[in-house]
Structure formats: structure tokens, C-alpha cells
Amino acid sequence: MFKLFLLCALAVAVRSEVPEEDDVLVLKKSNFEEALQAHPNILVEFYAPWCGHCKALVPEYAKAAGMLKAEGSAIRLGKVDATEETELAQEYGVRGYPTIKFFKGGDKEAPKEYSAGRQADDIVNWLKKRTGPAVTSLTEVTEAEAMIANNEVAIIGFFKDAESEDAKAFERAAESIDEIPFAVTSDEAIFSKFEVSKDGIVLFKKFDEGRNTFDGEMTKENILAFIKTNQLPLVIEFTEQTAPKIFGGEIKSHILMFVPKTAADFEAKMTEFKKAAEGFKGKILFIFIDSEVEDNQRILEFFGLKKEECPAIRLITLEDEMTKFKPDSELINAESITAFCTRFTEGKLRPHLMSQDIPEDWNKTPVSVLVGKNFEEVVFDPTKNVFVEFYAPWCGHCKQLAPIWDQLGEKYPWGSDTIIAKMDSTANEIESVKVHSFPTLKYFPEGDERKVIDYNGERTMEGFTKFLESGGKDGGAPAGEEGEEEEGDLDLDEEGEQEEDSDGEGGHDHDEF
């Protein structure tokens, strides 16, 4: 009997031992449910070993796990190699890397998508918000000092009456923000320590002026606007860690300064950039990008820039359609940047559309080569039907399509009623056509109506031929009215991590822009 009891105890002990690496639980299909039973609140990262964003996350993720463990928190962090644990990844709808999900209360049916930044403080604060009150109560000066010291940004509401309407508005605002810690106090000593004489809200931060005091009517909307304006530095560097804050923030107009940090005049350029930023706080996000960093080269390419052309300034809006703007002057000083931004806010700037030069032999090969400068003239020729592939040189699916597209060009040579063409959309932009994924295939039928038809059929010679012979009806739909696009093998996370590993079948695989 004792032996049976001992065996059962050992079996339970073995099941409960989930391996760890740097305080992060190593999860597999075989131990996932047991881990959730032992640790009901787990943040789980589904990663791929080759994924650059996953590699960049490793130290911050481990740091966050260590911070929680050191505090004695019951919240744990775990990770799943989704390339090995494919069944588990499929169960939770993993389509890009890293995918991060929070399993709360042991519930494995409906995990919450992680939505904050990728620095340790962001992760810890988000988890605390998800498992505890939106606002913590401070009763000691040391508690307030520790909160401010341990966070890049912290917000304290000073209210003599914690049940007042203003205090309730503060709490409602706190419930809307996951990545920043909020606290409230009625303690006179804390009021005195931070030189607050009446009810109010103070945002403490480890950059720029150090603190900002709310001034206005205390409504949830006003408080959130105040936080949005002050939570980021006047100038923020684009990195793997800051990208979620930059792209996930409320400010959708961004001015970018591309500059090598090793340049002798880097600090001087930054000083001028910051001076200009002061006048557009809360309206335009000022970002600098180290043009020498290898991981930033795709961004330079997106703006049609080369390293040797930096320093340079560009502005972009991230609304429904991304629109780029380029200053007339190459000067980088506070005066010229301020003038550029002012013209933008007044709606006086025209979008900057990139274009390569027209190649001499652009129509001498089976597939005609289009650029920004000859696009309109060719595709809207009323006497021609033009079928265009919008591609990116790095796109795996475009490379797979290339031999078929060349074959199609040979079937419809230059001089016939139908032109087969292609355009590198990373180097050429068209105001009348917006491209969001690669390859994008569009058909421009003859006539004066300037019609555009999206191709949604199979990417085969047979599929393309049927489409063209039917006048764009078999496999096509008017632009903007196509059906829901089937997702392909190649998935990516919010910053575009790519795995060019697809069989190319199925006709709907795309690489995102």
C-alpha cells in the first residue's frame, strides 16, 4: 500500500515539474495543461527559432519573468517553439511570430492577445493590469517613490476623496491603458513630498521634463488625451522594443529623421530635431532611425532612401492609406523642420510618390517593366488591356510566380491587344493604386472608363489565360470588392517578420507590405 502511495506521489511530482529557461517555462503539448493547472495565470509566447523579432524579445521576456518571480507573483511567463509544437500552435491560431497570448485563471479556451510593448516593464505592467485592479492605492511615500523609480512612466492621481467624481474619471481612464501603471493616493505626506497642493494628476517619466501635471476638466477623454501627449519622449528612437509603442499609439502622423548615430554631427542634428518637436507635441510623433543598423535597411528602402543619402527627413501618415511626404529642402535644422511640419498640419503638402527612371528596354522583354513615370500612360491606354503584377524583390511568392508570369508575357507579346507588365512597388508608387501585399495582380481593361479589376484566381497559366480571354470576368472582381482573402503560408507579426517558406500553391498567398 505504501509503495502504491509513493508511486502516485512521484507521478504527481514528475507531472508538476515544468522545465524552465531563465525563469521562463518551457511549454509543450505534453505539459501545457499541467502548467496551466499549476500556474493559472501564464503569458505564453509562441515563437520560431529563426524569427528575428523573437530573438530580440528573448532578453526582455526573461527579464520580465525574473521580475515577477522576484516579487513572488503567481503570474508566470512561458514559451512554446511553434515550429516543433505545431499542433499546439494550430490549436491557438498562431499565424505569425511571435504570437503572445495570456491564459488567465487556468482558462485555455479563450486566451487574451497580448497588446502592449516588448520591454520588460511593459510586459509586467500589462500583466498586473490584467490580474489586479486598474489603479493601486498608495499610503506611504516610499511606495510612491518605488513606483516612480521602477517604471519608465507612472501616473498618480492625487485625490483627497478617493470616491469623488474626478477620482472615478481617473479610474475609468486607467482601465483603458494596459502598459502604464496607475496609482491613487489621499495621503497628505505623499501630496507634500511631490509638492501637490490640490486634487490632480501627475505623469512621472524618466525622460524630457520628468513630470507633467494634468490641467483641465477631469473627464476620461481629457485624461487619456493628456497621457497620449506626454507618455512618449519628444523624440523616440525606432527599435524592436519601441516599435509597438510607435505603431500602436494614437498619433498616426510620424516624422522620421534617418541619421547614422556614429556621425560627428549626430548630437547637433538631434538637438535641432528636438527643438522642432516641441511645437508639435501630441500632433506629430518625432522618430529617429539609425541608418547604419542592418535591420533598418528595409525601412530606408520603403522610403526610397540609401544609406549614403542620409541624414534625411521624411513624414508619413498611418491612416487607412499610408501617405509619404518629402521636404523640399535637405537642410536639417529646427526652422526647416518646423516649416515642413506646419505645412503638413495645414494640409499644404503634396504626397511624395517614388519612381524609378524608365528603363530604355522597358517594353523589349516578354514582361513590360513599369515605373511611376510611365504607369498611367501604359495602363490607361484606351486601346490596350494591361495585366500588371505589383511585386517586391524580396517577396518569396513573387519569386515563385516569376517564371509563370514570364511565360504569360511570351503568350501575349508586345504589339498584341494585351500587355503583360510588372512593377516593383517598393521603388514606385501610384496615387491611383494602393498596394498592401505582394504579389498584387490587377487588370486594366481597354476603354476610357479607367476600370481596374483585381485578380483573385489561381496563379497558373490556365487560370491567367481564362481570366484574360474572359475579359477579366473569370477570376476577377472590381477593385475593392473582392471576397475575403485566404491567408497563405507566409505569416508575419505586427512588424512584418517573414518566413519565405511556402509551396506557392493555392493562388492567394501574399507577403504583407
Side-chain angles (χ1 to χ4, degrees), residues 320-394:
D320 293 336
E321 298 291 350
M322 290 185 291
T323 308
K324 304 175 202 170
F325 302 89
K326 176 184 176 182
D328 295 329
S329 170
E330 294 184 2
L331 284 174
I332 296 181
N333 56 40
E335 185 179 356
S336 62
I337 296 169
T338 298
F340 177 54
C341 291
T342 300
R343 291 185 64 206
F344 167 74
T345 57
E346 293 175 348
K348 295 179 179 178
L349 290 182
R350 290 181 60 83
H352 171 63
L353 301 173
M354 297 187 299
S355 177
Q356 296 172 305
D357 291 330
I358 302 173
E360 291 184 7
D361 60 346
W362 70 273
N363 61 349
K364 305 300 183 189
T365 55
V367 175
S368 299
V369 178
L370 302 182
V371 297
K373 293 177 180 178
N374 69 348
F375 181 86
E376 294 264 336
E377 179 185 353
V378 175
V379 304
F380 292 120
D381 180 342
T383 67
K384 299 291 184 182
N385 299 300
V386 187
F387 197 14
V388 183
E389 175 202 5
F390 298 88
Y391 74 96
W394 45 260

Side-chain angles (χ1 to χ4, degrees), residues 148 156-160 185-204 211-214 218:
I148 295 166
I156 299 178
F158 294 82
F159 299 103
K160 297 289 178 62
T185 186
S186 303
D187 185 78
E188 289 185 10
I190 299 177
F191 269 70
S192 176
K193 172 65 180 178
F194 296 101
E195 300 178 343
V196 177
S197 58
K198 61 181 181 179
D199 283 8
I201 300 169
V202 180
L203 183 149
F204 297 91
R211 64 184 277 176
N212 302 102
T213 301
F214 177 82
M218 286 215 193

